[in-house]
Each structure stands twice: as structure tokens, then as C-alpha cells.
Amino acid sequence: MQADGRLLSQGLQPRYTGPLDAFRKIVHLEGIGGMWKGVLPNAQRAFLVNMGELACYDQAKRFIIGGQISEDNIYAHTLASIMSGLSATALSCPADVVKTRMMNQSNTMYSSSYDCLMKTVRIEGLRALWKGFLPTWARLGPWQFVFWVSYERLRNLAGLSSF
């Protein structure tokens, strides 16, 4: 249904009239397994985002506090959350590009995520994997800040130690 927005902008009829219609048609045409189409690329992307967020935040915070750039305060948490957002974006962008292309293909241009990755790099170059970096960071960056600063504040209120 998400990809049908593109059809509407081209003046074409959407494939589904709503969630129940989508469910019925997908199960009828592709079987119950069709409901999990695209799970692997989405799980891969989620893995990369979380790896970038969690590991980078802790390492950045250790670096900031250990390097005496800042004490364990909102300034350190803000700097670490910015680095976390950058890391998560840098790691997830290639997966986002591949996932989006796989979901939006109108014919079977790509046989797998790996095939999509290789064709993208071969045809457009390595930099094509980071298309949309700034909009992605503009979305992930504020989220990282709000999440990590809130987490640290709640941790402090609960009396839990930082490391």
C-alpha cells in the first residue's frame, strides 16, 4: 500500500482499497508467505541501525567523558547522540537504498538484495548507496538526541550508574 502512492501520483489505480483488501489479495495471490515478503531486508536494516545507534553511543560517550571533553552531563549526551545518529545513518543508508529499490521495482529487475546491491554499485557507483543520507540523518538525528538525552535523564533519576 505504501508503494501505491507512486501509482496514484501517476494517475493509476492503486492495487488495494485498504488493509483488509491488501491482506486478502496478497494471501490469495502469493500465499501466507507473501505477508512476510521483504522481512529480510527490513531486518537487515534494523540490525544496522541498532548497531550504529547502540554501539556508537556508548563508545562516543566513553570517548567524550574519558577524553575529558565533557563530564557525564547533557553536553556529553548531546555530542554522543549526534555521533550515534551519524553512525546509524551511515550504516543504514545502503540497506535503505537496496530495500527501497527492491520494494519499488515494477518488474523483476533484481533477483535478490545482493543482486540489487551489485547492480546499483556497478551502474551508479559506490556513492549511490548513500543517496538520501541527509534526509535520513535529519530524521534519525533528532530522534537520537531525544532518545539518548531522555534515557540518560531517566537513568540519573533512577540512580543507575553510567558504565
Side-chain angles (χ1 to χ4, degrees):
M1 288 180 64
Q2 207 171 8
D4 280 358
R6 189 181 74 246
L7 294 174
L8 287 172
S9 68
Q10 297 170 351
L12 301 172
Q13 192 69 16
R15 294 175 293 177
Y16 312 112
T17 59
L20 292 176
D21 182 50
F23 178 79
R24 187 179 51 75
K25 285 179 180 175
I26 291 168
V27 170
H28 177 74
L29 294 173
E30 301 176 44
I32 196 73
M35 295 304 295
W36 281 270
K37 197 174 195 176
V39 163
L40 184 61
N42 280 300
Q44 291 167 337
R45 181 200 176 275
F47 167 78
L48 293 169
V49 169
N50 284 292
M51 182 175 68
E53 289 175 353
L54 301 173
C56 183
Y57 180 79
D58 280 346
Q59 288 300 315
K61 186 176 160 189
R62 283 182 194 275
F63 176 80
I64 291 164
I65 295 169
Q68 298 177 341
I69 296 168
S70 175
E71 295 176 13
D72 190 2
N73 57 26
I74 194 165
Y75 180 68
H77 306 154
T78 300
L79 287 175
S81 70
I82 290 169
M83 291 182 220
S84 172
L86 274 171
S87 174
T89 304
L91 287 170
S92 70
C93 255
D96 279 338
V97 168
V98 169
K99 177 180 70 91
T100 301
R101 289 175 184 215
M102 291 291 292
M103 290 171 68
N104 289 338
Q105 65 181 333
S106 54
N107 54 12
T108 313
M109 184 174 174
Y110 310 112
S111 60
S112 67
S113 296
Y114 180 75
D115 182 47
C116 179
L117 176 75
M118 297 310 293
K119 284 180 179 174
T120 300
V121 171
R122 190 177 322 115
I123 295 167
E124 299 176 52
L126 195 59
R127 295 176 80 189
L129 296 177
W130 283 272
K131 283 184 176 178
F133 180 88
L134 290 176
T136 302
W137 188 38
R139 183 182 57 78
L140 274 177
W143 156 249
Q144 294 297 310
F145 171 74
V146 169
F147 175 79
W148 288 114
V149 170
S150 299
Y151 164 80
E152 293 290 352
R153 183 70 182 133
L154 291 170
R155 182 189 55 75
N156 283 334
L157 290 172
L160 300 172
S161 65
S162 181
F163 293 113

